[in-house]
Amino acid sequence: MKSDVEENIDADLNAADVQPFEVSGGASAFPPSVQPGIPKLGRKPRGWTRAPIGEFLEPVFRTAKLVDDERYQLVTAKRSRGGIVPRAILYGRDIHTKTQFYVEANDFLISRRQISHGACGLVPANLDGAVVSNEYVALKPKSGLDLRFLQHLSHSVYFQQTCFHSSIGVHVEKLVFKIEDWLEWEIDVPPMAEQRRIADILDAWDRAIAHTEALIDAKRRRKAELTRRLLHEGGERNGRLGDLAAINPRGPRVSENSSVSFVPMDAVSEDGRLIINLARRRGEIGSGYTGFVDNDVLVAKITPCFENGKGGHVCGLHSGVGFGSTEFHVLRPNDQGDARFIHHHIMAAAFRRNGERYMTGSAGQRRVPAAFIEDYRIPLMDAERRRNAASILDAADNEIGLLQQELRRLTDQKRGLMQKLLSGDMRLSSMEAAE
C-alpha cells in the first residue's frame, strides 16, 4: 500500500512540466563527478530564506583519543554523493593518523580531499560512533534546516559547484577544501514544512530508483546462474570456441568508394551492445582497421576493455560490412545461427576470468591472445540446444534492458524534479508556506 507521499507524487508532477535535467553542451575537462561551473542563484523564491551556508550548518569536532587495544570503525565518503560507508575496523595501534574525531548519526560529513567529486553525505545510524581523520569535517544543522532536505540539496548542481569553488590546488585530484570559504556561499532554503514536503517527495523517488536497482541486480544474478547452467554444464563432448567460429578471419573486401559502418571501441557498451553505428566512406577510414561483417562477434583484446566485457554480437551494420578498432578480435561463426550462442559465451564472467590468466604484455598494455579464444573450452551441445540456450539468455538480457531503461527514466525524472523543487521553480501548492 502506498504512503500519502507516494499517492500524491503524480498530482505534484501534473502541476508542473518536469523535464529531465539538461547539461550544457561541450566536452568537459573534468570527470563526471565534478561540477566546475560558476555557482549562481536565481531569483529568491517567495517565502524562502537566502543566507550563507554558515547560517544553517556548523562544524563539530569530537576528539577521539585512540587506545591501542581498542577497535574503531573507520568510514569513507563515496564520490558522486554515494554516501557514507564503512571502510575498516582497526585497533588503535594500527591507525596511522592519530588525529581522529568521532562522528554521530546524522552528521553531514565532508571529505576535504574528495568533496570536489561529491564525497559527502549523512552518517547513517549504523555508523554512529565511527572515527574519521582531520581529512574530514562533520557538520550539524542549526535551527531552520531539515537533515533530509540537506541530503537532497547536496545533490544539486549549485551545491556541488560551491564545493568545487571552495577547493584549491593545481590538479582536480589534489584539491583541498576550504571549509571557511564554503560556509560563506549563500543558499536558498524554504520554510521547514516545505523542506520536509520536498524531502518526502524526493525520498519516495529514491525508493523507486532503489527498488529498480535491486530488481536489476536480482535479474543479473539470475542470468549468471542461467549462463552457468546453459553454457557450462552438459554437452555431448568437450569442445572449443574454435569449433564454432573462425578467429580473426581475413577481412571483407570493400571498394574504397563504398559506405560502411565504423565502430570504435567506445561505441561498444559493457553489456555487449553496439551503441553507435557511424556510416563512413571506405576511402575516409584509412588503413589499419579491423574488418567484420554482420553476425560476427567482437572481443576486446586489451585491458580494461576486455575485463569490462567490451564486445558482443554485430548485427544491423550499414551495408552489412563494418570496420573498427584493431583492438578487437573477430569471431566469425561457421553457422550464423550460432552467433548469439557465441555472444553469450564471450560475455560470460567465466570467459573474462580465464582470459585474464592468458594475457600477455606489460601492465599497461596487456592483451588477450587469439589462441586463448580459439582454444577456450566449452561443452559442445547439439545445434538445437545451442539455439535454445541463446534464446533463453536473450530473453534474460531483454528483461534487464527494459529495467535499465526504466531506471534511466526514473533517474532523469528525479533529477529534473529535484532541480525544480530545490530552486523553487516548482512550488508545492498543497501545503502552507510556513509551519
Side-chain angles (χ1 to χ4, degrees):
M1 185 174 181
K2 290 184 178 180
S3 68
D4 290 341
V5 170
E6 290 164 319
E7 291 285 0
N8 290 329
I9 284 179
D10 289 340
D12 291 327
L13 287 176
N14 290 334
D17 178 24
V18 179
Q19 299 295 328
F21 179 75
E22 293 184 358
V23 180
S24 58
S28 172
F30 297 95
S33 56
V34 174
Q35 291 287 348
I38 303 297
K40 293 181 181 179
L41 288 172
R43 179 179 298 178
K44 183 176 75 69
R46 182 172 54 85
W48 289 29
T49 300
R50 176 170 292 178
I53 296 172
E55 294 293 316
F56 301 99
L57 287 171
E58 60 181 351
V60 290
F61 304 94
R62 310 178 191 94
T63 303
K65 295 182 179 180
L66 301 183
V67 178
D68 285 352
D69 294 330
E70 290 188 11
R71 292 169 39 155
Y72 299 88
Q73 173 70 66
L74 280 65
V75 300
T76 189
K78 297 180 69 175
R79 289 184 174 193
S80 301
R81 281 69 55 198
I84 308 303
V85 297
R87 182 162 69 90
I89 297 176
L90 298 176
Y91 284 103
R93 59 177 173 270
D94 297 324
I95 298 176
H96 299 300
T97 303
K98 298 304 180 183
T99 305
Q100 297 284 326
F101 300 90
Y102 288 110
V103 295
E104 294 180 354
N106 293 324
D107 280 352
F108 188 75
L109 193 62
I110 288 176
S111 168
R112 295 179 189 266
R113 296 282 181 177
Q114 295 292 318
I115 186 57
S116 59
H117 293 277
C120 61
L122 292 178
V123 176
N126 66 307
L127 294 177
D128 182 74
V131 297
V132 294
S133 72
N134 55 8
E135 294 294 334
Y136 288 82
V137 59
L139 299 108
K140 277 288 191 185
K142 299 179 181 179
S143 61
L145 186 64
D146 180 78
L147 285 170
R148 292 182 303 131
F149 178 82
L150 171 63
Q151 177 75 348
H152 291 294
L153 183 65
S154 70
H155 287 252
S156 69
V157 172
Y158 176 79
F159 186 98
Q160 297 165 46
Q161 289 172 338
T162 65
C163 294
F164 178 80
H165 284 276
S166 300
S167 303
I168 59 172
V170 296
H171 191 279
V172 70
E173 297 297 338
K174 297 181 180 179
L175 298 179
V176 178
F177 186 57
K178 307 295 287 185
I179 182 68
E180 60 276 9
D181 293 347
W182 181 71
L183 291 172
E184 293 297 319
W185 286 98
E186 291 187 323
I187 55 173
D188 289 339
V189 176
M192 185 65 76
E194 192 169 356
Q195 290 182 51
R196 290 169 179 159
R197 181 79 170 105
I198 290 171
D200 285 344
I201 291 173
L202 296 179
D203 283 350
W205 223 264
D206 283 342
R207 287 194 294 273
I209 290 171
H211 176 68
T212 306
E213 289 173 334
L215 284 176
I216 291 172
D217 184 60
K219 293 289 186 182
R220 282 175 170 161
R221 291 198 305 271
R222 176 176 176 271
K223 191 208 166 185
E225 176 61 19
L226 285 172
T227 299
R228 184 183 65 80
R229 288 166 49 194
L230 294 171
L231 301 186
H232 301 293
E233 294 180 357
E236 283 71 28
R237 65 185 179 88
N238 205 21
R240 306 174 306 143
L241 270 182
D243 295 330
L244 298 179
I247 314 301
N248 294 328
R250 185 180 297 275
R253 292 185 177 181
V254 181
S255 166
E256 288 192 357
N257 294 322
S258 299
S259 292
V260 299
S261 295
F262 182 71
V263 184
M265 183 68 73
D266 61 4
V268 182
S269 70
E270 292 179 4
D271 58 0
R273 299 175 188 270
L274 299 186
I275 56 177
I276 298 176
N277 189 1
L278 303 173
R280 296 190 184 182
R281 294 183 66 83
R282 178 70 183 100
E284 297 171 348
I285 294 176
S287 60
Y289 290 92
T290 298
F292 43 83
V293 299
D294 262 335
N295 277 325
D296 280 355
V297 179
L298 305 183
V299 179
K301 298 178 182 179
I302 58 171
T303 56
C305 295
F306 175 82
E307 295 164 336
N308 289 336
K310 288 270 190 175
H313 178 206
V314 176
C315 59
L317 289 173
H318 180 81
S319 301
V321 177
F323 285 80
S325 167
T326 57
E327 300 299 354
F328 285 123
H329 287 301
V330 178
L331 287 65
R332 185 159 300 156
N334 301 328
D335 179 342
Q336 291 196 352
D338 282 329
R340 297 302 299 167
F341 181 77
I342 295 170
H343 161 89
H344 287 294
H345 262 296
I346 68 101
M347 294 303 299
F351 180 81
R352 295 196 297 277
R353 283 197 304 270
N354 280 279
E356 290 170 12
R357 298 187 307 185
Y358 289 86
M359 286 181 175
T360 59
S362 61
Q365 296 290 329
R366 299 176 69 215
R367 285 175 169 78
V368 176
F372 158 73
I373 300 173
E374 184 172 10
D375 293 334
Y376 183 67
R377 311 302 293 184
I378 60 173
L380 198 60
M381 65 279 293
D382 60 51
E384 182 178 0
R385 285 181 61 187
R386 297 199 297 270
R387 308 295 189 272
N388 288 340
S391 295
I392 293 170
L393 295 174
D394 282 346
D397 278 343
N398 288 337
E399 290 180 0
I400 294 170
L402 290 173
L403 285 170
Q404 288 173 328
Q405 290 179 20
E406 176 67 6
L407 179 61
R408 286 190 292 270
R409 183 183 70 84
L410 288 170
T411 302
D412 286 345
Q413 288 182 349
K414 190 250 180 173
R415 191 178 295 126
L417 176 63
M418 181 179 69
Q419 176 177 291
K420 288 182 177 290
L421 289 174
L422 296 180
S423 66
D425 289 345
M426 177 180 176
R427 300 302 295 270
L428 303 173
S429 58
S430 59
M431 59 162 290
E432 296 294 329
E435 289 181 303

